[in-house]
Amino acid sequence: MANSNRPSTAIAHIYRGTFVHATEQTALQILEDALLGVDTEGKIAFIGKGEELDKLSQTFGFSLSEVTQLAQHEFFMPGMVDTHIHAPQYSYAGTALDMPLLQWLNTYTFPVESRFKDLKFAQEVYTQVVRRTLRNGTTTACYFATIHTDASLLLGQITNDFGQRALVGKVCMDRNNSVKHYKETIQESQEETCRFIAELLDKKYPLVKPVVTPRFALSCTGALLGQLGAIAKNNNLHIQSHISENMEEVKLVKELFPESESYTDVYHKYNLLTDKTVMAHGCHLSDEELNLFRETGASLSHCPNSNISLCSGLLNVSNVLKHKVKLGLGTDVAGGYSASMLDAVRRTLDTCKFLTIQDPEHHTLPFEEVFRLATLGGSQALSLDNQTGNFEVGKDFDALRVNVAAPGGPIDLIQHEEPKILLEKFLNLGDDRNIMEVYVAGRRVVPFTEQTAE
Ligand SMILES: [Zn+2]
């Protein structure tokens, strides 16, 4: 039957079952017996109720036999967004957690990152980190690479090959006194950043974009920060860096940039705080600095595993949200030892509870709010919320098919549970064994295909 309202793009997949996601209005919306259609471009074409099946099949032109029915204990949730992860540091994840930040960088991080000049080593580590994060439900990742342009381009290629949505940054640093060979001149940093951006954009990867990446204020001269601010502005690019992670760092930034009113002001002066900026940590920001974040539209990435592991500080998430600063979660591998965003969810809840132990007046976030941060919040923090983050019509279908009762998995269900309980159990107890499938922009990327299998 002809239908004049039929959309121009054909429907590729239809799923029926429980969908859970966050919206602007509510931290957790549960849609039971829902129908979701994905078009051939990987976008969500419709989301409706199961009882509307006949009507939707006529409007969108699919047959009932094409509908994939989720099993009991299964649900779809949006893919998770890791707003801060260092791909090269995955090589030593789970170790080297016995020092505070600055000593940790000098002792472990810089010597390892300097090895990424070797493309073979880079290929091995980058393939592993992309596989591991995807397998654990990270559909979007915001990566730091190293100072090496070709290895950073390789990371872009690998994320594209696996089908992960990614922002990839070649690290910039023209100051480093501890590992002398792991730094650039200001000219190298500027030229190589431009080459990195041009070559990555030239590949026309649909889901992978460059992000301007000054390591942090202590690793960069003011002149380099100014040049990077200009490059980001002229090319309308994302920016990522670190801010106010530990007290020693904050003190040194004050000494190094005496003309700035605060750490946040350093980045602001060099045009590095925009509505496409994400800064990791922010544990020790003042309320005035949080206001500057809100005014500029810049966001924070909360990396609780790293903050605890390196004894950096405890971010007061409630206070950040009260200041209406965009906030996502990050693993910060390898300062954070786990590459899984489920761990970031748990450590965020732990951090809230530490603060409540210290001050019973402190408001502990409900798990629903942390679920929102791991999904929609992350997409907002990366200014990608027009493409991903939840199940809104028109966005890309980035999703995890979760089976809470997966055979051989870590969760035992004693009785029939409602979807909210299933989600809570998955967030607290689940792991990659519960993630049956991962979709990015409508394409199934986990289980791995022949091309992406080992
Ligand atoms: Zn970091």
Side-chain angles (χ1 to χ4, degrees):
M1 192 180 77
N3 188 320
S4 56
N5 294 328
R6 186 169 293 177
S8 52
T9 312
I11 300 298
H13 302 284
I14 312 100
Y15 305 98
R16 183 172 185 169
T18 301
F19 291 78
V20 300
H21 71 157
T23 69
E24 205 64 60
Q25 293 76 31
T26 172
L28 174 60
Q29 185 178 49
I30 296 169
L31 305 164
E32 288 188 78
D33 190 28
L35 273 167
L36 183 144
V38 181
D39 69 22
T40 48
E41 290 175 357
K43 294 188 186 306
I44 299 168
F46 64 82
I47 181 152
K49 296 193 171 91
E51 65 208 37
E52 298 171 314
L53 177 61
D54 288 339
K55 197 182 84 191
L56 288 167
S57 75
Q58 280 174 25
T59 307
F60 290 91
F62 60 87
S63 71
L64 304 191
S65 63
E66 292 174 76
V67 177
T68 302
Q69 174 75 50
L70 296 194
Q72 207 189 6
H73 313 308
E74 279 195 324
F75 60 82
F76 268 115
M77 64 172 270
M80 291 184 278
V81 181
D82 188 342
T83 55
H84 186 76
I85 174 168
H86 296 260
Q89 297 176 18
Y90 184 64
S91 56
Y92 63 96
T95 68
L97 299 163
D98 57 344
M99 286 181 189
L101 173 70
L102 301 179
Q103 292 85 327
W104 176 85
L105 283 169
N106 294 338
T107 308
Y108 302 116
T109 308
F110 295 147
V112 170
E113 287 194 13
S114 69
R115 291 184 59 195
F116 281 72
K117 201 167 56 180
D118 174 358
L119 289 178
K120 205 164 156 278
F121 182 58
Q123 166 101 32
E124 194 181 324
V125 176
Y126 288 166
T127 301
Q128 285 176 350
V129 69
V130 172
R131 284 175 63 91
R132 181 64 62 192
T133 53
L134 259 187
R135 185 76 195 79
N136 280 278
T138 301
T139 51
T140 300
C142 188
Y143 286 112
F144 273 62
T146 62
I147 64 171
H148 312 100
T149 305
D150 292 319
S152 305
L153 288 166
L154 182 61
L155 176 59
Q157 183 199 317
I158 292 167
T159 55
N160 177 68
D161 289 348
F162 277 89
Q164 188 175 47
R165 188 186 303 279
L167 296 173
V168 177
K170 171 219 160 307
V171 171
C172 297
M173 48 193 287
D174 64 343
R175 248 206 277 240
N176 184 5
N177 292 329
S178 59
V179 179
K180 300 239 183 296
H181 61 279
Y182 188 56
K183 70 171 175 185
E184 314 154 291
T185 65
I186 180 168
Q187 194 187 353
E188 278 166 348
S189 194
Q190 196 248 2
E191 286 175 6
E192 287 298 294
T193 296
C194 291
R195 178 165 83 86
F196 172 72
I197 293 164
E199 291 193 21
L200 189 62
L201 290 175
D202 207 36
K203 302 280 184 192
K204 300 199 169 20
Y205 299 138
L207 303 174
V208 183
K209 301 277 176 282
V211 45
V212 174
T213 307
R215 176 166 219 117
F216 70 146
L218 292 184
S219 295
C220 301
T221 56
L224 177 59
L225 292 175
Q227 289 186 359
L228 296 174
I231 289 171
K233 192 172 179 190
N234 295 338
N235 298 280
N236 187 25
L237 292 176
H238 283 82
I239 298 166
Q240 64 176 347
S241 193
H242 300 86
I243 195 165
S244 214
E245 181 173 353
N246 95 356
M247 293 302 286
E248 190 187 2
E249 169 212 10
V250 174
K251 192 168 151 270
L252 284 174
V253 169
K254 204 171 248 169
E255 287 171 20
L256 212 51
F257 297 89
E259 72 289 357
S260 291
E261 282 164 31
S262 64
Y263 198 158
T264 304
D265 187 46
V266 173
Y267 291 132
H268 188 46
K269 269 208 168 76
Y270 293 113
N271 296 315
L272 289 163
L273 284 191
T274 74
D275 62 0
K276 292 174 88 173
T277 296
V278 58
M279 290 283 169
H281 309 302
C283 300
H284 306 288
L285 294 175
S286 66
D287 286 354
E288 289 75 32
E289 290 179 281
L290 288 174
N291 287 337
L292 192 49
F293 267 79
R294 187 188 57 243
E295 285 160 22
T296 55
S299 64
L300 283 172
S301 168
H302 176 37
C303 306
N305 188 317
S306 170
N307 294 159
I308 296 165
S309 292
L310 302 186
C311 299
S312 299
L314 300 172
L315 179 70
N316 187 330
V317 168
S318 297
N319 191 45
V320 173
L321 295 177
K322 202 174 84 189
H323 283 79
K324 304 211 175 322
V325 174
K326 291 187 291 180
L327 182 69
L329 305 184
T331 58
D332 194 24
V333 164
Y337 56 78
S338 171
S340 167
M341 282 296 292
L342 288 169
D343 173 85
V345 167
R346 293 164 199 166
R347 299 291 88 79
T348 298
L349 287 162
D350 289 350
T351 298
C352 284
K353 288 170 186 173
F354 298 158
L355 291 170
T356 303
I357 291 168
Q358 291 176 353
D359 171 13
E361 298 287 301
H362 175 262
H363 168 67
T364 299
L365 292 179
F367 85 88
E368 294 94 327
E369 194 60 56
V370 181
F371 167 73
R372 167 148 69 182
L373 294 177
T375 54
L376 183 63
S379 72
Q380 292 167 333
L382 299 183
S383 291
L384 294 173
D385 50 314
N386 59 342
Q387 291 162 56
T388 186
N390 63 5
F391 297 130
E392 269 171 30
V393 170
K395 287 193 185 184
D396 287 359
F397 184 62
D398 289 7
L400 315 181
R401 182 174 178 169
V402 175
N403 181 353
V404 180
I411 302 173
D412 294 311
L413 290 179
I414 312 301
Q415 58 194 21
H416 177 75
E417 302 286 6
E418 59 178 272
K420 185 174 162 181
I421 299 288
L422 292 179
L423 175 65
E424 189 176 10
K425 277 189 175 276
F426 171 64
L427 293 177
N428 281 315
L429 301 170
D431 63 28
D432 59 348
R433 287 169 289 180
N434 299 106
I435 301 175
M436 312 316 290
E437 295 177 326
V438 178
Y439 293 83
V440 182
R443 176 180 157 207
R444 197 176 77 169
V445 295
V446 172
F448 298 113
T449 63
E450 256 175 55
Q451 286 78 39
T452 53
E454 274 172 307

